Amino acid sequence: MACGPDPARNLRSALAGIGRAAARGAQVICLPELFRTQYFCQEADADNFDLAESIPGPTTSALSAAARKHCAVIVAGIFERRAAGVFHNTAVVIDADGSLIGTYRKMHIPDDPLYCEKFYFTPGDLGFRVFPTRFGRIAPLICWDQWFPEAARLATLAGAEFLIYPTAIGWHPSEVESQGAVQREAWSVVQRAHAIANGVFVAAINRVGAERTLDASESRPANYRGLHFWGRSFVCDPLGAILGEAGESEQLVVAVCDRDEIERTRRDWPFLRDRRIDSYRQMTERSLE
Amino acid sequence: MACGPDPARNLRSALAGIGRAAARGAQVICLPELFRTQYFCQEADADNFDLAESIPGPTTSALSAAARKHCAVIVAGIFERRAAGVFHNTAVVIDADGSLIGTYRKMHIPDDPLYCEKFYFTPGDLGFRVFPTRFGRIAPLICWDQWFPEAARLATLAGAEFLIYPTAIGWHPSEVESQGAVQREAWSVVQRAHAIANGVFVAAINRVGAERTLDASESRPANYRGLHFWGRSFVCDPLGAILGEAGESEQLVVAVCDRDEIERTRRDWPFLRDRRIDSYRQMTERSLE
């Protein structure tokens, strides 16, 4: 989905999308990262903390009502205010009866030009979590987490059937021509690989559209004049095969995920059987150099 | 390369290929897994232990001479006899001066129909290793290892610039039509993801051609009538972009790998900076369920 400057309108738009997805039979419905706002992290501005809210709070209330109404599980990204000076980039899981059963706080926090997330978000302290819902065991992860095989693996070991990544990733407009295709392909490949290596379904839900920084004047370096979110939300199966994929504009992707595929795939490719757990201790090191 | 029943002939063929690669300017030259023999692991037969050799041994001697002659680093897969009853699936790294500087023993051992590797190979006990060569820091890994993000990560943390996977992977002929494309794509995707997640170059060197089991009669289940090795050896850069790729027949792939790409890629996408090493302790668990 595209996210505009008005949080109320973004919520209405999301609820309408949830309704359309439910009408097409969706049982698990996912919204992008921080879907209520534009991607304010393009700049470090303390006033943006006003955009945060508590969990549970107004957004989870609205989503709970929608989940109950449509008998669907909902996964969504929320800017969470936990305490004064402690804010998180969070995903919630709401079960089909409307109950808020899961909170995941983004563990891997980026900080790159126009992605000033370390300014806003305290790194998550809940670890990698799996929530049993009416329609499957879901591990919510968020955006930058998608580049870390450790996150996918730990969620899998904890029993995940679905890794779901609410996302806000885009191009620096100045790089689209030279690197756009390679960057987007890398983003898709690394997530499909999580599905393959772990024998799980993966879904990534990205925002779309251009959002400019407040100060997008020509005097800024080209890399600081806004982001073009590339969409391309997708769902893939445990072999990494794409089951459904969006384009670069607002779009609903509905995919059928047969959970028996997990059992079948892992019997053929039993990677979890052969992990050398006696030799992974140094995964907790920063560097071995 | 294709590997026939005569080990001497396979060695001559490999040495000829090394010569051709060197003539095209190759500095690091890689051979497939167990390149001196056919893929004997299709059956569990103790007589096949006769195919193993010591390291150093006749094969490393021949490869050392070739490395010295061509001033090239060589990586190759060898069936290693370590002691009576202790055999390994091993990769050696020979520096451009002919010195044997690296031995890696396959850590993740498969065991599936026609891949009876747990019968032959004691799991490696050397861990994931990086060897500084004249032309870069090389981590040899072998075939089944390619499905394990832990192996790629630990090699990267130890300083690898190149992950090199000698490989012997193929289709069950009965599955080619229904699953061949998906399986091969998954194999490529999961390895390109190692390059992306770690900011390193990745090369996979596979054998080609059909090899039948000794007892390939129609009375056997369709899944037990031999393997069709799918080739498709490739090299990709730290963004996962393919730099060179072979087809399904014998072929030399030569790719230019600019090691400065590693520095550039990791500055743009600093995943290693953001790993949550405080939260990966459970990577050493078999399951958290």
Side-chain angles (χ1 to χ4, degrees), chain B residues 183-268:
Chain B
Q183 290 177 353
R184 192 173 64 194
E185 172 75 356
W187 174 79
S188 171
V189 162
V190 83
Q191 292 179 89
R192 291 167 61 204
H194 300 327
I196 297 162
N198 293 290
V200 294
F201 290 90
V202 168
I205 305 91
N206 193 18
R207 69 174 60 202
V208 302
E211 298 182 20
R212 291 179 70 94
T213 53
L214 292 176
D215 173 15
S217 68
E218 295 298 309
S219 64
R220 299 200 84 186
N223 256 4
Y224 284 85
R225 288 184 206 142
L227 290 170
H228 180 149
F229 295 96
W230 67 53
R232 291 283 181 148
S233 302
F234 71 89
V235 184
C236 75
D237 74 10
L239 288 168
I242 300 284
L243 300 176
E245 184 177 22
E248 288 180 31
S249 53
E250 280 202 325
Q251 195 175 330
L252 185 62
V253 177
V254 182
V256 176
C257 300
D258 174 2
R259 293 154 70 193
D260 292 339
E261 284 291 334
I262 295 170
E263 178 76 20
R264 281 193 291 271
T265 302
R266 292 188 188 176
R267 286 187 184 198
D268 281 350

Side-chain angles (χ1 to χ4, degrees), chain A residues 66-117:
Chain A
R68 203 162 39 239
K69 175 178 171 188
H70 299 295
C71 253
V73 172
I74 295 177
V75 179
I78 295 178
F79 184 19
E80 178 189 7
R81 183 187 185 284
R82 183 176 179 185
V86 182
F87 298 81
H88 293 286
N89 186 331
T90 297
V92 294
V93 179
I94 296 168
D95 209 350
D97 64 358
S99 57
L100 173 61
I101 56 169
T103 299
Y104 166 77
R105 293 179 177 136
K106 189 172 183 174
M107 291 287 285
H108 300 97
I109 309 293
D111 205 273
D112 296 302
L114 299 189
Y115 296 86
C116 306
E117 295 201 18

Side-chain angles (χ1 to χ4, degrees), chain A residues 31-183:
Chain A
L31 301 172
E33 180 183 14
L34 302 169
F35 78 97
R36 290 218 50 179
T37 63
Q38 289 199 301
Y39 186 68
F40 54 85
C41 313
Q42 290 196 39
E43 315 212 71
D45 179 348
D47 286 347
N48 284 329
F49 288 116
D50 289 340
L51 298 169
E53 61 179 292
S54 59
I55 295 176
T59 299
T60 58
S61 291
L63 296 177
S64 286
R68 203 162 39 239
K69 175 178 171 188
H70 299 295
C71 253
V73 172
I74 295 177
V75 179
I78 295 178
F79 184 19
E80 178 189 7
R81 183 187 185 284
R82 183 176 179 185
V86 182
F87 298 81
H88 293 286
N89 186 331
T90 297
V92 294
V93 179
I94 296 168
D95 209 350
D97 64 358
S99 57
L100 173 61
I101 56 169
T103 299
Y104 166 77
R105 293 179 177 136
K106 189 172 183 174
M107 291 287 285
H108 300 97
I109 309 293
D111 205 273
D112 296 302
L114 299 189
Y115 296 86
C116 306
E117 295 201 18
K118 290 193 197 295
F119 173 79
Y120 291 104
F121 307 125
T122 302
D125 57 347
L126 298 173
F128 306 99
R129 312 182 84 187
V130 177
F131 302 102
T133 73
R134 187 177 304 178
F135 301 115
R137 295 192 300 275
I138 292 175
L141 295 161
I142 302 174
C143 204
W144 194 239
D145 291 323
Q146 58 212 173
W147 302 98
F148 297 82
E150 293 91 344
R153 182 68 98 201
L154 289 167
T156 300
L157 296 183
E161 296 171 299
F162 299 88
L163 309 182
I164 297 182
Y165 294 90
T167 297
I169 191 167
W171 294 301
H172 295 287
S174 64
E175 293 179 353
V176 173
E177 195 170 316
S178 62
Q179 298 172 53
V182 166
Q183 290 177 353

Side-chain angles (χ1 to χ4, degrees), chain A residues 108 150 153 275 280 283, chain B residues 108 150 153 275 280 283:
Chain A
H108 300 97
E150 293 91 344
R153 182 68 98 201
R275 293 178 69 238
Y280 298 159
M283 291 293 284
Chain B
H108 300 97
E150 293 91 344
R153 181 69 98 200
R275 293 178 69 239
Y280 297 160
M283 291 293 284

Side-chain angles (χ1 to χ4, degrees), chain A residues 208-275:
Chain A
V208 302
E211 297 182 20
R212 292 178 70 91
T213 52
L214 292 175
D215 171 16
S217 67
E218 296 297 309
S219 65
R220 300 199 84 186
N223 256 3
Y224 285 85
R225 288 186 207 139
L227 289 171
H228 180 149
F229 296 96
W230 69 50
R232 291 285 180 150
S233 301
F234 71 89
V235 183
C236 74
D237 74 10
L239 288 167
I242 300 284
L243 299 176
E245 185 179 21
E248 290 180 30
S249 54
E250 281 201 324
Q251 195 174 330
L252 186 61
V253 177
V254 181
V256 176
C257 300
D258 173 3
R259 293 154 70 192
D260 292 340
E261 284 292 334
I262 295 170
E263 179 75 21
R264 282 194 292 269
T265 302
R266 292 188 188 176
R267 287 187 184 199
D268 281 349
W269 286 358
F271 308 134
L272 298 182
R273 177 193 68 188
D274 292 335
R275 293 178 69 238

